[in-house]
Amino acid sequence: MILSIETSCDDSSIAVTNIKTKRLLFHRKISQELEHSSFGGVVPELASRLHLIHLPQLLKEAIPYLNTLRAVAVTNRPGLSVTLLEGIAMAKTLALSKHIPLIAVNHLKGHIYSLFINRDTIFPLLVLLISGGHTQIIRVESYSRMEILATSLDDSVGESFDKVAKMMGLGYPGGPIIEQLAKDGDENRFDFPIPLRNSKQIAFSLSGLKNAVRVQIKELIDRQPDGLTKQDIADISASFQKAVKLHLLQKTKKIFKYETKIRDFAIVGGASANLYIRDAFENLCREFNKRLHTAELEYCSDNAGMVGRYAIDAFNRKDFIDPYKIDIVSNRKIETNSWL
Ligand code: KG4
Ligand code: ZN
């Protein structure tokens, strides 16, 4: 078995995976959404202190598996430095005390491997990663051969949902809240700009759209003495979500036009739980004769199951790290192919 730990942001999670069968045997997660909600985003210091409390609680539940472990895996990049350190401290201690190897896992590769929990890998594969920290399209040839084909110039998809929700005082995380509210909204009421629509550049950008939403909200508030109505909030959510969808579709389409050989396409990361976006990609894949893959909803957001699944492939390749040398890489530094 491999015990895996994930603490790159505000989810404490521990999993145990069987190396031979690739089955996830134990999987627990404690999220901190409530604690961060009033701040409209994750407060790193608070997240770190909560990991300190939650991780030992989760490890206690995994005690029955501890004598069967062949390796320990932990996310070490990218993420919030103060939260990554919590997971690493526990993983290092376990590896050293039990004399078993340590595996360092790139969180973004972990998201890709969320597709393969309880199953075999599918390669080659084109992946759209939409999380709270990243928006990327990656060509995945194999465990060790990946190339970023498009990346974000500013805010990520998840981040833009979080910020738009914050502007309307809706709480955190914004993604599921906006998706839910959008169901009762008119997505054509506000004509928000589709980012980079007239640009040939194959990249993602959401800060312009976010600002357009901000300006619209201000205009409504200035005009209406009682502020935003319920319907305004639903319509803004729907119109914003539509613009994000069209942006993602437009840029992915450009890549589909030249990546014709790879038939399999996947969406991963926290925002891939968005069913409105999934539906749109199902249609796009039909048009381009691609097979769409998504992770089960519970494995879209951060979890140790995906870390454990990646670790099986790392274990079989003896891709280990010296516990005395493991380091972290914080957010934003991993935008280029250097992380592959
Ligand atoms: O992958 P993830 O759990 O953490 C990072 O690696 O960043 O992604 C979290 C992000 C948050 O920004 C959250 O608002 C977004 O995923 N998210 C969604 C949805 N569910 C979560 N965004 C849009 N629609 C959703 N249904
Ligand atoms: Zn993530």
Side-chain angles (χ1 to χ4, degrees):
M1 316 282 176
I2 294 179
L3 182 134
S4 52
I5 303 174
E6 159 65 39
T7 59
S8 66
C9 191
D10 60 336
D11 295 295
S12 318
S13 183
I14 291 186
V16 177
T17 312
N18 184 300
I19 297 168
K20 269 211 185 98
T21 64
K22 302 182 173 67
R23 290 252 146 222
L24 185 57
L25 303 176
F26 169 91
H27 187 223
R28 297 278 184 281
K29 167 162 143 171
I30 303 179
S31 299
Q32 309 172 359
E33 290 164 0
L34 268 183
E35 288 89 342
H36 297 286
S37 191
S38 60
F39 300 100
V42 175
V43 181
E45 164 88 16
L46 175 61
S48 163
R49 286 166 56 199
L50 289 168
H51 286 307
L52 192 63
I53 297 165
H54 295 155
L55 275 184
Q57 290 172 3
L58 298 177
L59 188 66
K60 206 170 168 191
E61 287 188 58
I63 283 175
Y65 296 97
L66 292 191
N67 282 335
T68 62
L69 299 183
R70 299 277 307 277
V72 181
V74 65
T75 303
N76 76 328
R77 66 199 190 280
L80 300 170
S81 29
V82 289
T83 63
L84 287 169
L85 288 172
E86 297 291 339
I88 289 174
M90 179 176 272
K92 253 164 114 161
T93 311
L94 280 169
L96 286 169
S97 61
K98 297 191 77 62
H99 307 286
I100 51 178
L102 181 63
I103 296 166
V105 181
N106 179 314
H107 182 72
L108 308 182
K109 291 186 178 181
H111 273 301
I112 294 171
Y113 269 77
S114 68
L115 297 163
F116 312 135
I117 290 175
N118 294 330
R119 57 174 294 180
D120 282 332
T121 50
I122 306 162
F123 296 137
L125 179 70
L126 293 172
V127 176
L128 171 66
L129 166 73
I130 42 177
S131 69
H134 294 80
T135 307
Q136 297 182 330
I137 294 183
I138 306 157
R139 190 201 300 116
V140 184
E141 306 275 358
S142 66
Y143 165 83
S144 55
R145 280 185 62 201
M146 303 190 188
E147 188 185 351
I148 298 170
L149 305 176
T151 193
S152 55
L153 306 174
D154 40 59
D155 292 0
S156 71
V157 169
E159 198 177 359
S160 70
F161 274 80
D162 294 338
K163 288 184 178 165
V164 166
K166 190 177 178 183
M167 286 176 211
M168 298 193 281
L170 301 174
Y172 170 86
I177 302 171
I178 298 266
E179 182 186 8
Q180 190 56 33
L181 290 169
K183 288 182 185 155
D184 299 318
D186 172 4
E187 65 175 21
N188 298 314
R189 175 166 162 205
F190 301 106
D191 195 14
F192 292 132
I194 298 162
L196 304 176
R197 181 190 222 159
N198 299 316
S199 161
K200 285 206 175 107
Q201 199 175 3
I202 305 182
F204 299 102
S205 164
L206 286 153
S207 66
L209 171 60
K210 178 189 71 186
N211 281 330
V213 174
R214 192 192 307 280
V215 169
Q216 184 59 65
I217 291 172
K218 187 172 179 309
E219 202 185 301
L220 287 169
I221 291 174
D222 287 348
R223 242 192 301 138
Q224 302 169 174
D226 294 331
L228 298 178
T229 65
K230 245 179 129 180
Q231 195 58 50
D232 290 336
I233 292 176
D235 294 346
I236 288 169
S237 299
S239 305
F240 159 74
Q241 187 176 243
K242 179 186 164 196
V244 174
K245 172 193 78 175
L246 292 175
H247 176 42
L248 294 175
L249 286 175
Q250 192 203 8
K251 296 305 173 187
T252 307
K253 213 168 177 172
K254 282 187 191 287
I255 287 185
F256 278 3
K257 281 189 182 150
Y258 73 83
E259 286 287 353
T260 50
K261 286 209 185 103
I262 302 181
R263 287 277 319 277
D264 292 290
F265 172 74
I267 327 176
V268 300
S272 73
N274 186 303
L275 300 182
Y276 172 85
I277 292 177
R278 280 189 181 199
D279 271 359
F281 274 93
E282 226 156 78
N283 292 332
L284 187 76
C285 285
R286 214 167 291 130
E287 190 188 323
F288 282 83
N289 201 20
K290 307 255 187 231
R291 280 180 294 254
L292 177 67
H293 304 272
T294 46
E296 280 178 45
L297 285 179
E298 67 172 308
Y299 304 129
C300 290
S301 58
D302 296 348
N303 66 84
M306 65 191 198
V307 177
R309 181 60 187 86
Y310 176 85
I312 294 175
D313 283 20
F315 182 87
N316 290 330
R317 285 166 178 78
K318 298 195 169 32
D319 196 354
F320 303 133
I321 191 158
D322 181 344
Y324 292 100
K325 291 194 180 142
I326 186 170
D327 198 0
I328 54 159
V329 180
S330 60
N331 273 338
R332 299 248 164 254
K333 301 221 174 96
I334 304 190
E335 296 291 346
T336 65
N337 280 317
S338 62
W339 66 267
L340 305 167

